[in-house]
């Protein structure tokens, strides 16, 4: 499966665990929550081979939503990872070496970087080039695969749609040579009315070899957000609660090709399966090497974002509360990407990321990377403008003061010259 919002974090945690095992008895293993001394500007110390650009993008995006000014070394690190053609790979150890045909560019890293750089502002040329690269790798079915030329999957298509929207593009107008839009490619992964009622409205990651779709919570969470035309830094839809409607399967309205309606049905599916968990509303998944499901914190956070963005406030509040009560140990182990996911979930749901179940997620995220400064509040900006005006007024006064002094000095000089002239005439 292609790395998604949560899969990248899991890979980072797996890399950390591997490093700890290999380093036992040789040197202390680096903490996932520590900044990397080997790569100044990078959030976290775990191996960035699989998720460097992804976790950096999420960290910067999360800090931005929390009103924290982006640390210049961190932004520079991310911008410096871009290849000349606009694409990004998971991690480039040597950015002084130009990318070539062997550089494994991927849609997920590129789309994540676009979302972060577009939000931060001031990176127009880089965003434009990255969006151009994404458009050039769109498949004929309207979707995207993890790697250029690879078969489309719901997760990659979703994160690219989020990037297009963040860059000011209309995903409905981003079409393949065949005329198929990004949204067309997205809704093609939805399970329709011909499956068991329990799975209707869910999304598959990819069809199997026979073309059959199987419900996948990871993919469904990604699409529930992308179908709304939104990315990770989604704002809550409003104060009123909207019930997520299941996929219609009666009469002429059976099924849907509308991306927002598809996203709503996906949200209804997610809310339904989360409520079935005995130990609280969350998503669960079988991790590699495990024989039974375990809590899927990352995709639960992404589900909170999607539910909140769709206006499903009551449905979002339940898994959000569960995350507040249960995610601390996971976030500490997984590091910056995990903290970022929780910050973004809190932001979308209207919660305070600085008091998330008693934890200050913003500070915890900041501790994993370069030191950041808080962005000026509205009142501080007002004070700054007043100070600027005062300084401007004083500057103007200063100019006239100098002119006045010069005038007085000139007059004095005139008297002196006149006296000397008279003295010489005597």
């Amino acid at each position: 499966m292609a790395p998604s919002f949560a899969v990248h974090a899991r890979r980072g945690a797996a890399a950390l665990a591997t490093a700890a095992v290999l380093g036992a008895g040789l040197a202390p293993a680096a903490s996932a929550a520590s900044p990397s001394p080997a790569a100044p500007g990078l959030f976290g110390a775990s191996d960035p081979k699989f998720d460097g650009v992804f976790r950096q993008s999420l960290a910067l995006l999360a800090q931005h939503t929390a009103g924290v000014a982006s640390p210049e070394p961190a932004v520079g690190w991310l911008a410096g990872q871009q290849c000349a053609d606009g694409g990004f790979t998971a991690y480039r150890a040597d950015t002084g070496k130009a990318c070539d045909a062997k550089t494994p560019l991927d849609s997920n890293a590129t789309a994540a970087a676009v979302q972060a750089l577009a939000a931060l502002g001031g990176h127009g040329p880089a965003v434009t080039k990255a969006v151009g690269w994404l458009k050039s790798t769109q498949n004929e079915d309207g979707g995207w695969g993890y790697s250029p030329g690879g078969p489309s999957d719901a997760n990659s298509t979703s994160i690219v749609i989020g990037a297009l929207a963040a860059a000011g593009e209309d995903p409905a107008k981003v079409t393949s040579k065949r005329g198929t839009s990004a949204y067309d490619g997205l809704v093609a992964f939805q399970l329709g009315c011909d499956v068991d009622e329990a799975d209707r409205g869910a999304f598959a990651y990819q069809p199997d070899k026979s073309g059959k779709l199987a419900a996948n919570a990871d993919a469904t969470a990604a699409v529930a957000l992308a179908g709304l035309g939104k990315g990770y830094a989604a704002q809550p839809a409003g104060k009123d609660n909207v019930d997520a409607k299941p996929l219609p399967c009666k009469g002429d309205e059976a099924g849907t090709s509308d991306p927002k309606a598809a996203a709503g049905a996906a949200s209804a599916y997610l809310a339904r399966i989360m409520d079935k968990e005995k130990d609280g509303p969350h998503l669960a998944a079988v991790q590699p090497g495990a024989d039974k499901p375990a809590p899927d914190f990352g995709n639960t956070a992404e589900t909170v974002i999607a539910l909140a963005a769709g206006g499903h406030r009551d449905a979002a509040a339940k898994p959000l509360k569960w995350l507040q009560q249960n995610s601390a140990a996971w976030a500490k182990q997984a590091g910056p990407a995990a903290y970022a996911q929780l910050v973004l979930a809190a932001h979308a749901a209207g919660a305070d990321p600085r008091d998330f179940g008693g934890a200050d997620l913003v500070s915890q995220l900041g501790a994993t990377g370069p030191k950041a400064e808080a962005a000026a509040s509205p009142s501080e900006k007002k004070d700054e403008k007043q100070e600027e005006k005062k300084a401007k007024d004083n500057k103007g006064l200063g100019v006239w003061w100098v002119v006045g002094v010069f005038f007085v000095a000139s007059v004095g000089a005139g008297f002196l010259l006149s006296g000397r002239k008279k003295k010489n005439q005597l």
Side-chain angles (χ1 to χ4, degrees):
M1 179 181 291
S4 68
F5 188 64
V7 175
H8 277 281
R10 290 200 291 270
R11 280 188 171 182
L16 172 66
T18 302
V21 172
L22 295 177
L26 298 177
S31 169
S34 308
S36 173
L42 175 65
F43 278 81
S46 60
D47 187 353
K49 182 178 180 180
F50 295 112
D51 75 335
V53 166
F54 203 94
R55 76 180 187 224
Q56 191 81 351
S57 299
L58 292 187
L60 293 176
L61 196 58
Q63 286 191 324
H64 177 74
T65 64
V68 176
S70 304
E72 291 185 8
V75 179
W77 186 94
L78 178 61
Q81 289 286 311
Q82 189 174 33
C83 294
D85 63 0
F88 285 77
T89 186
Y91 171 64
R92 293 171 60 200
D94 183 5
T95 55
K97 181 181 178 181
C99 301
D100 56 26
K102 295 183 180 180
T103 304
L105 303 182
D106 73 77
S107 62
N108 288 226
T110 304
V114 166
Q115 293 192 41
L117 295 176
L120 295 175
H123 300 275
V127 170
T128 298
K129 288 178 66 176
V131 169
W133 183 86
L134 288 170
K135 289 182 177 179
S136 72
T137 59
Q138 185 178 21
N139 290 331
E140 288 297 301
D141 61 10
W144 281 264
Y146 179 69
S147 301
S152 297
D153 66 77
N155 295 71
S156 296
T157 303
S158 293
I159 189 174
V160 171
I161 286 176
L164 294 173
E169 298 275 350
D170 182 355
K173 296 180 180 179
V174 177
T175 59
S176 67
K177 294 179 180 179
R178 197 169 70 193
T180 311
S181 76
Y183 282 140
D184 293 333
L186 188 71
V187 299
F189 295 104
Q190 189 165 39
L191 279 69
C193 300
D194 57 341
V195 301
D196 292 340
E197 185 176 355
D199 289 339
R200 290 175 186 173
F203 277 77
Y205 169 71
Q206 279 179 332
D208 61 19
K209 294 181 179 179
S210 66
K212 185 178 180 180
L213 300 175
N216 182 294
D218 183 353
T220 305
V223 177
L225 180 60
L228 301 172
K230 298 183 179 182
Y232 296 142
Q235 299 283 350
K239 294 182 179 180
D240 296 331
N241 179 65
V242 178
D243 291 330
K245 297 182 179 180
L247 186 71
C249 289
K250 292 182 179 180
D252 296 334
E253 298 181 355
T256 180
S257 60
D258 177 70
K260 289 187 177 180
S267 292
Y269 167 82
L270 292 169
R272 187 166 65 247
I273 64 172
M274 286 192 300
D275 282 342
K276 291 182 178 180
E277 293 296 330
K278 295 180 180 180
D279 54 344
H282 66 279
L283 294 181
V286 178
Q287 305 294 339
D291 57 359
K292 61 180 180 179
D296 187 341
F297 295 93
N299 278 314
T300 299
E302 185 169 4
T303 297
V304 170
I305 298 174
L307 291 173
H312 316 305
R313 297 177 63 87
D314 291 349
K318 296 177 182 180
L320 178 70
K321 183 177 180 179
W322 183 87
L323 286 171
Q324 291 173 325
Q325 297 172 342
N326 297 280
S327 64
W330 165 75
K332 183 176 181 180
Q333 179 191 28
Y339 287 125
Q341 292 174 44
L342 295 175
V343 169
L344 293 169
H347 169 73
D352 185 359
R354 291 179 171 81
D355 185 12
F356 194 81
D360 185 345
L361 297 175
V362 179
S363 295
Q364 291 174 331
L365 172 60
T368 70
K371 184 178 180 181
E373 298 180 0
S377 65
S379 60
E380 290 174 333
K381 290 180 179 179
K382 183 177 180 181
D383 292 341
E384 288 177 2
K385 289 183 178 180
Q386 292 176 343
E387 289 296 328
E388 289 175 1
K389 185 177 183 301
K390 184 177 180 181
K392 185 177 181 180
D393 293 341
N394 289 340
K395 183 178 180 181
L397 178 63
V399 170
W400 287 111
W401 184 84
V402 172
V403 170
V405 171
F406 180 74
F407 174 76
V408 172
S410 298
V411 172
F415 281 133
L416 179 60
L417 290 176
S418 178
R420 285 181 176 179
K421 183 177 181 181
K422 288 181 180 180
K423 183 177 180 179
N424 290 334
Q425 290 175 342
L426 293 177

